[in-house]
Amino acid sequence: MQSLLLDFLKVTESAAVAAMPWVGSGDKIAADGAATNAMRENLNKMKMDSTIVIGEGEIDEAPMLYIGEKLGAGGSHEVDIAVDPIEGTTPTVNGQGNAITVIAAAPKGTLLHAPDMYMKKMAVGPKAKGKINLDAPIEENLKAVAEANGKAISALTVLIQDRPRHKEYIERIRQMGAKVRLFNDGDVIYATATCIEKLGIDMFFGIGGAPEGVLGAVAVRTLGGEMQAKLLPRNDEEIRRCNEMGISNLESVLSHDQLVSSDDCVFVATGITDNLLIDGIETEYTNYITHSFLANGKDKQLRYVKSTYPIAQTV
């Protein structure tokens, strides 16, 4: 997978650059379509046989790289891919922060193959790996994470999306004395942030999209942390689709190994607008300057890459 890392970088950079003209436009469909088309075009140039195992779908009703789509120009690499051409479409078109384009990849058969649906998730950094249990009360997890990190519970910072469905959890976390940092968009960004010590984030928790869950799980694995998750089907149709994809026990927590079962995985993200992980695209004379985040699970190494793209080539 490491040999494909720079090719995946070109995929995310191209998608971010394609989305740039739509920043602040208010047009979510056009922005997502531009990023998706650029991502698909560059994935199809890569020397690999790949399958989208989890991607955009019905939750957003957006242009998508659909689940089961085959991509690549052929070759010896057989790859599972999880994608989000724009993680943070709303902030992109509103000219706000917290938007990236992102891709995660691993050898065939090692990423969770699941429908686009809701998923409950918890992520922590390397120090708390092996200490969490998504089935346990949030209070027990806070105690375990505090002990693993050598902190008082009052010193913990928990990231959780600002949604009505999280109101009870937010209140319980605060009652324990921990700090809650709310965010509106950027699920993958904030799951990944738990593994970057300088950011001071101890836990990510909440209910969001399954594609973002798998992307986050790869990012967290590449950086030595842990994620657990549980699919939350809303109706019989989603249950049927899970069963068709081989997921029959929907009551069980998905371990990190079930989300991504190989350390030979890669995670690449390019900023569209500024966010907690990386800067967004800058305009400098006749160029776009992109900022990207590359991580691979084999050596648990994180790289930051800055690239230049002539604007004339992107119109």
Side-chain angles (χ1 to χ4, degrees), residues 85-210:
I86 301 181
E87 156 81 342
T89 310
T90 298
T92 295
V93 301
N94 287 339
Q96 299 168 328
N98 278 353
I100 60 175
T101 183
V102 60
I103 190 164
K108 182 179 179 180
T110 61
L111 291 187
L112 178 71
H113 184 40
D116 183 0
M117 57 187 292
Y118 283 107
M119 174 185 271
K120 185 177 181 182
K121 317 160 204 177
M122 180 182 291
V124 292
K127 290 181 180 179
K129 181 179 179 180
K131 306 297 183 182
I132 59 173
N133 178 2
L134 189 61
D135 267 345
I138 190 67
E139 292 84 356
E140 290 184 19
N141 282 291
L142 290 171
K143 291 176 184 177
V145 171
E147 182 178 355
N149 286 328
K151 293 182 176 182
I153 292 177
S154 60
L156 294 181
T157 298
V158 181
L159 291 171
I160 189 165
Q161 194 173 23
D162 188 7
R163 295 290 187 271
R165 61 181 176 268
H166 294 143
K167 182 180 179 182
E168 177 190 345
Y169 291 114
I170 293 167
E171 291 174 352
R172 288 166 61 184
I173 292 167
R174 286 175 171 162
Q175 284 172 3
M176 288 291 290
K179 306 299 189 294
V180 173
R181 181 170 172 179
L182 298 175
F183 66 92
N184 286 318
D185 300 277
D187 199 316
V188 178
I189 293 168
Y190 290 106
T192 307
T194 61
C195 296
I196 301 175
E197 192 166 0
K198 69 178 182 179
L199 298 178
I201 306 302
D202 301 290
M203 179 189 288
F204 162 85
F205 178 77
I207 296 168

Side-chain angles (χ1 to χ4, degrees), residues 9 12-21 23 99 101 269-275 278-293 304-314:
L9 173 63
T12 59
E13 287 177 342
S14 66
V17 167
M20 184 61 183
V23 172
T101 183
T270 299
I272 300 172
T273 60
D274 291 348
N275 58 81
I278 42 180
D279 292 337
I281 295 177
E282 304 170 52
T283 302
E284 185 178 83
Y285 302 109
T286 59
N287 295 322
Y288 284 141
I289 309 298
T290 64
H291 303 269
S292 301
F293 176 112
Y304 293 95
V305 176
K306 182 177 179 179
S307 302
T308 300
Y309 281 81
I311 293 175
Q313 292 183 11
T314 68

Side-chain angles (χ1 to χ4, degrees), residues 20-39:
M20 184 61 183
W22 302 99
V23 172
S25 69
D27 193 337
K28 292 175 68 173
I29 299 299
D32 216 6
T36 298
N37 290 339
M39 185 171 272

